[in-house]
Amino acid sequence: FYLTPPQVNSILKANEYSFKVPEFDGKNVSSVLGFDSNQLPANAPIEDRRSAATCLQTRGMLLGVFDGHAGCACAQAVSERLFYYIAVSLLPHETLLEIENAVESGRALLPILQWHKHPNDYFSKEASKLYFNSLRTYWQELIDLNSGETTDVREALINAFKRLDNDISLEAQVGDPNSFLNYLVLRVAFSGATACVAHVDGVDLHIANTGDSRAMLGVQEEDGSWSAVNLSYDHNAQNEHEVERVKMEHPKSEEKSLVKQDRLLGLLMPFRAFGDVKFKWSIELQKRVIESGPDQLNDNEYTKFIPPNYHTPPYLTAEPEVIHHKLRPQDKFLVLATDGLWETMHRQDVARIVGEYLTGVHHQEPIAVGGYKVTLGQMHGLLTERRARISSVFEDQNAATHLIRHAVGNNEFGTVDHERLSKMLSLPEELARMYRDDITIIVVQFNSHVIGAYQNEE
Amino acid sequence: AAGMFLRLLSDLQWRAAHPRWRRMTGSQRSTSTTAEPHPISLPAQAQVVICGGGIMGTSVAYHLSKMGWKDIVLLEQGRLAAGTTRFCAGIVSTARPVSIELKMAHYSNKLYQQLEQETGVQTGYMKTGSISLAQTQDRLISLKRIASSLNVMGIPCEIISPKKVVQLHPMINIHDLVGAMYVPEDALVSSANVSLALATAASRNGVQIHERTSVSHVTVQKGRVTGVETDRGRIQCEYFVNCAGQWAYELGHSGEEPVHIPLHACEHFYLLTHPLEKPLSSSLPTIVDPDGRIYIRNWQGGILSGGFEKNPKPLFTEGRNQLEIQNLQEDWDHFGPLLSALLRRMPGLETLQIMQLVNCPESFTPDMRCIMGESPTAQGYFVLAGMNSAGISYGGGAGKYLAEWMVNGYPSENVWPLDLKRFGTLQSSRTFLRHRVMEVMPLMCDLKVPRWDFQTGRQLRTSPLYDRLDAQGARWMEKHGFERVKYFVPPGNDLLDLDHSKTFYKPDWFDIVGAEVKCCKEAVCVIDMSSFTKFEISSTGDQALESLQYLFSNDLDVPVGHVVHTGMLNEKGGYENDCSIARLSKRSFFMISPTDQQVHCWAWLKKRLPDDSNLIMEDVTWKYTALNLIGPRAVDVLSELSYAPMTAEHFPSLFCKEMSVGYANGIRVMSITHTGEPGFVLYIPIEYALHVYNEVMNMGQKYGIRNAGYYALRSLRIEKFFAFWGQDLDAFTTPMECGREFQVKLEKGMQFLGQEALLEQKQNGVYKRFTMFILEDHDTDMDLWPWWGEPIFRNGRYVGKTTSSAYSYTLERHVCLGFVHHFDEKTGEELVVTTDFINQGEYEIDIAGQRFQAKAKLYPFSSLFTQRRRKDEVELSGYQRE
């Protein structure tokens, strides 16, 4: 069984999406040129999610990747909801009031986000009312709390993450009279998701990370070479600080059982996540909710199973670690990706492959005959060769797709091996997960000119 | 460098010819570009100022001065023939699909041939012939169609086999060819030198030529050109001619009153090589390989080869003026596909050495035809530009027609297809032009089948019903920016296939249109005809009636509520427009004209209506949606919707009345259908359009109503022998020549424009006659379909060409309309065409070289008229050009 190159391409390109920030009067005022994103499933259905949106009431753009586990429900919910929580957290008091008044009087709402979605990125229609009510409660509280201070992005991100996780937990405890929704909120709460979110506004780049997805900055050195700068820390057993943190939060008696086989309580790889109430609720609460819940939940062995050595919950938090970075002209792009990519590729290779892809256009100098003696046949051969080269470089119109092609198809020499690519992509569903994880990538390209101009202003 | 070479060559000529302007400008011709002082100052005034010293400007100057106009100044911002003309490949090719273009090219060829003798300037004229290759049968058909029209014009031309191609040009690879067309008299020239020769002759005739003089703008007062402002001062003038090539658009926009000249430049590449080891003969024919998108000519023992790629590079969209076209970047990667095509066609050239890849911008227009004529807004402002890379082929003829236009008021041929006034401001958007020329340039080589449409720059003007009709399967074509329905694809048909069907034979929509026609004949159909041009003319007193009586040939002094079909004729009695005019009240008229008359008709009337503030003309095209209800049951639908009797007793034919339809009041209902079928056109204020349409469709259901498109309309009108302006009728056709004497009231009690010419014709007879032909031995399923422009033969001799054709679903035969002339067998002189002459001939129509027997008729089949009408009520008119 062998996939032809066009078949490989159609699989790789099925989920690719590109967005270019529109130019105004020929002058691009955004520090972001645009982004490419793509997903390659290994699970069926895929458990990764991605989101991208432009904030309409404040400045800036939000991008995020979400890696679900124990199902995709939580990742789906977070991908739909988190950016609204962030956007609301960033809104000034007056705008919040305006929005609340509009809802109160049934007027049209100010649009808060402009989404940039692939057709396959869906939003749950059924839950939108429920989600909206939770969000509204949140902004009502913000209005009541009116601190009068300008909103700090770092704080806004942390608050939004925590609040959403809290709402997910509460909605599951309260339940919903509609049986479909009731089951949905429980599935969301009992599954889990990591999140890695970027907020870009001018030269201010904030990364909020919960879990083991990763943000990486591609930097072009003066000699033209590419290097990678991490903008997030993985929250897993490999991160000493993270292990330390978990141990600090629980009694010394549990020290040995907290992290086993590099997993939290011997079960969970990421040390921070949304949902996963099994690691957050008390045993009584878990039992009560499951018993009063629908049969499907009761029949599910996973949800009923209480982690061993479960004494002092919560063991898990959704609180993100936020890193602020001031963009410089040499910062050319940002890669957000779930662990599916980072398991197969070193960040240094990622920086090089994306960097060369994005600048590849400029490597083809135009030909000039000048004073040389060139025959028509020679020229024809040269042009044919150039075309062939261009078409291999530009087989992908999308940096994320290009990266996935390398992640899946790279051989020992670091070049894409079509045979290997074909084999990996034609694995049957049940085997695919053994060889690779879901991969989700967003590549954000920055506008060095705009960033340079910002710098000069400061 | 080709440019350099040509420049050197022209320097040589320059000195040899000792032209007068050399002394006038005082500039020593050299390769240095430093500006030198101008010892001779510009004249303060002149009759004509021509801007642009390329092939167009010099050709206009040449012809004007030949026709006796002497007070002419030609201004060139750089040096003569230094723009596109300098880079032009120099191929004079007469194989053009449009008849007027063919005539221009033919004339150019004859002109250039004798130019060297006339002026003493070497033009490099060489009669090499040209061979157009066909890689497919469809391409061969299109070549055969062109060959037919060349032959009847007396231009030698033959369809040849691939074997013959090798005999004429041994380097050609013929393995993929099915045939070719050979035009032995096509020629090569040095275009820059042709231009210099024309300038030399013009200069000898008194034309003053000033180089390094830029026109900044043209001044217009009270709608007339008064002068030009240049960087060297002002010249007062009566006439201005914009021959600024690719800068014509910008120059048109530089004045206070913009003149819209819709053209846009694209980069155009051609390759020059060193000579072959055994240099190519300079008499080898030029090769045109449209399927490979390239042309190849011999050049200095080597070759010159360029083409029209699929992905053109438009440039100067934002407008970037510069003194001369600097050498633009060569782009080999871009030229790659054309180079492949070249080596495929001439594999022997592999080892030939490259000299240069020339990048020479060419200007293109929205419809692939050049632009000439007078501005609709500024009298005396003439334009000649937008040559779509055929400047050297058209240069002579185009300059001649424009000169005639200026001197006589009209050119000697029908140039409506090239008239600036076929465009309006709507084609002048830079975005539109940029997108459209990117489609036009590849189209130069694409196969053009009957009824192809442009794909870019669409959905600009639409009816309010556009979305409704589109959702019901409408397929669209465009006219003057307006989307019109061709036909409706019934649900379940393979839409994609239909859209892509390209054929010279029976098209896929045959049965679809057949069903629409049947419904028009038996029940009722609705066609959205909102695109028609609509004017309202009113006055406080009798001014409107008096003016219109003079400008139109029929009698407009009819009772209020009557509709009159009438021609808007020129002095020679020819149709400038063909329209329907409803008398709304004693003092106001509603005038309906073809879609593309919007600019021309407006300009014509504006120029001739008295300057009277009590006489008001308004363009109300955008205010009304027009629904044409065609068919015997239209009466029933309308009377049910309006609670008014609509039968012939109450609402006779050619009648107009404002009434209510559904809830909507003030709907202008006219009992005309433009097809000869019974029915009504509703002129609906646009905000009621959807309502009325819905009401009509709902009410019509029980009468079997359905949507229909223009293809059905065309079939109906052609089988009824209705002539449409722009297609069948033009400024060189009079009512007498197309059986419309009844629309002329020679005795209406007052003079009207064209009256004298018509009176004379009435006395002396006509020299051509509009005739209907029914194809006899034509197999609709198997044979090539007629389109228009097919030669007509009478007793084996050429007598004219068809102007439109359609399949008649009623007669189950093809019907062609066209003009029959009577050429004297010996002298070729045109003789009077009598009814007997028409009736006593055996006719054949030539479709791509194959002749089909045809029966000529001067009157429509009366049996087709199912409704009884009074003779003078018979609606014998239509307008729409296809």
Side-chain angles (χ1 to χ4, degrees), chain B residues 575 720-723 729 733-744 758 761 766 768-772 818-819 833 835 838 857-860 871 874-877:
Chain B
Y575 277 100
K720 286 274 164 59
F721 199 13
F722 275 28
L729 306 182
T733 310
T734 72
M736 306 300 182
E737 293 160 349
C738 58
R740 289 213 186 151
E741 211 176 318
F742 67 96
Q743 285 182 11
V744 179
L758 295 185
Q761 260 193 343
V766 293
K768 63 178 177 184
R769 188 66 210 262
F770 195 48
T771 312
M772 170 164 162
F819 286 92
V833 178
T835 310
I838 300 279
K857 289 182 70 69
L858 282 172
Y859 300 96
K871 193 182 160 225
V874 171
E875 183 197 349
L876 253 175
S877 160

Side-chain angles (χ1 to χ4, degrees), chain A residues 367-369 373-377 379-380 383 386-387, chain B residues 271 330 332-333 336 340 343 349-354:
Chain A
I367 306 178
V369 177
K373 287 185 178 173
V374 186
T375 68
L376 291 178
M379 178 59 85
H380 188 233
L383 293 176
R386 277 163 70 93
R387 260 206 305 286
Chain B
L271 168 78
E330 54 191 319
W332 279 100
D333 291 308
S340 299
L343 289 176
L349 298 184
E350 282 264 348
T351 53
L352 188 58
Q353 223 181 79
I354 294 166

Side-chain angles (χ1 to χ4, degrees), chain B residues 561-634:
Chain B
H562 278 233
V563 181
V564 176
H565 290 313
T566 177
M568 180 174 92
L569 310 181
N570 54 32
E571 288 79 359
K572 296 174 297 167
Y575 277 100
E576 288 296 331
N577 186 5
D578 181 32
C579 45
S580 304
I581 299 180
R583 189 162 194 188
L584 298 177
S585 73
K586 279 238 164 268
R587 287 156 188 172
S588 69
F589 296 85
F590 184 57
M591 173 182 171
I592 303 148
S593 324
T595 309
D596 49 2
Q597 275 281 355
Q598 199 167 18
V599 180
H600 173 68
C601 180
W602 180 267
W604 179 270
L605 291 175
K606 267 277 157 200
K607 192 169 171 180
R608 287 164 180 81
L609 284 175
D611 191 12
D612 179 349
S613 58
N614 292 321
L615 175 64
I616 293 162
M617 177 166 76
E618 190 189 357
D619 184 345
V620 294
T621 303
W622 60 276
K623 282 188 182 172
Y624 294 95
T625 296
L627 290 182
N628 194 351
L629 269 64
I630 305 180
R633 309 314 295 268

Side-chain angles (χ1 to χ4, degrees), chain B residues 586-789:
Chain B
K586 279 238 164 268
R587 287 156 188 172
S588 69
F589 296 85
F590 184 57
M591 173 182 171
I592 303 148
S593 324
T595 309
D596 49 2
Q597 275 281 355
Q598 199 167 18
V599 180
H600 173 68
C601 180
W602 180 267
W604 179 270
L605 291 175
K606 267 277 157 200
K607 192 169 171 180
R608 287 164 180 81
L609 284 175
D611 191 12
D612 179 349
S613 58
N614 292 321
L615 175 64
I616 293 162
M617 177 166 76
E618 190 189 357
D619 184 345
V620 294
T621 303
W622 60 276
K623 282 188 182 172
Y624 294 95
T625 296
L627 290 182
N628 194 351
L629 269 64
I630 305 180
R633 309 314 295 268
V635 173
D636 304 305
V637 176
L638 213 54
S639 54
E640 280 206 48
L641 280 173
S642 59
Y643 287 94
M646 300 299 292
T647 50
E649 297 85 63
H650 298 94
F651 206 117
S653 172
L654 288 174
F655 199 66
C656 168
K657 193 171 158 189
E658 284 205 353
M659 49 194 284
S660 66
V661 177
Y663 299 153
N665 208 351
I667 309 298
R668 224 166 254 176
V669 177
M670 290 192 203
S671 43
I672 55 174
T673 61
H674 310 295
T675 56
E677 302 295 329
F680 304 89
V681 180
L682 315 185
Y683 285 92
I684 310 159
I686 51 170
E687 67 262 40
Y688 295 144
L690 200 57
H691 172 75
V692 172
Y693 176 77
N694 287 340
E695 291 292 301
V696 165
M697 292 312 272
N698 288 336
M699 187 57 76
Q701 239 168 20
K702 61 181 172 193
Y703 299 107
I705 202 166
R706 58 179 291 169
N707 290 302
Y710 270 78
Y711 283 10
L713 187 89
R714 194 192 54 200
S715 170
L716 288 168
R717 72 100 177 162
I718 288 177
E719 72 180 17
K720 286 274 164 59
F721 199 13
F722 275 28
F724 270 32
W725 192 90
Q727 183 77 24
D728 309 304
L729 306 182
D730 58 41
F732 287 78
T733 310
T734 72
M736 306 300 182
E737 293 160 349
C738 58
R740 289 213 186 151
E741 211 176 318
F742 67 96
Q743 285 182 11
V744 179
K745 295 288 182 298
L746 288 168
E747 321 294 340
K748 69 176 168 183
M750 65 175 292
Q751 266 229 311
F752 63 88
L753 208 52
Q755 191 175 22
E756 272 176 44
L758 295 185
L759 273 170
E760 195 188 308
Q761 260 193 343
K762 192 176 178 181
Q763 223 151 38
N764 303 340
V766 293
Y767 290 88
K768 63 178 177 184
R769 188 66 210 262
F770 195 48
T771 312
M772 170 164 162
F773 296 95
I774 320 293
L775 294 192
E776 301 272 287
D777 57 348
H778 182 269
D779 185 328
T780 306
D781 291 316
M782 304 300 293
D783 286 328
L784 284 172
W785 273 34
W787 186 2
W788 50 268

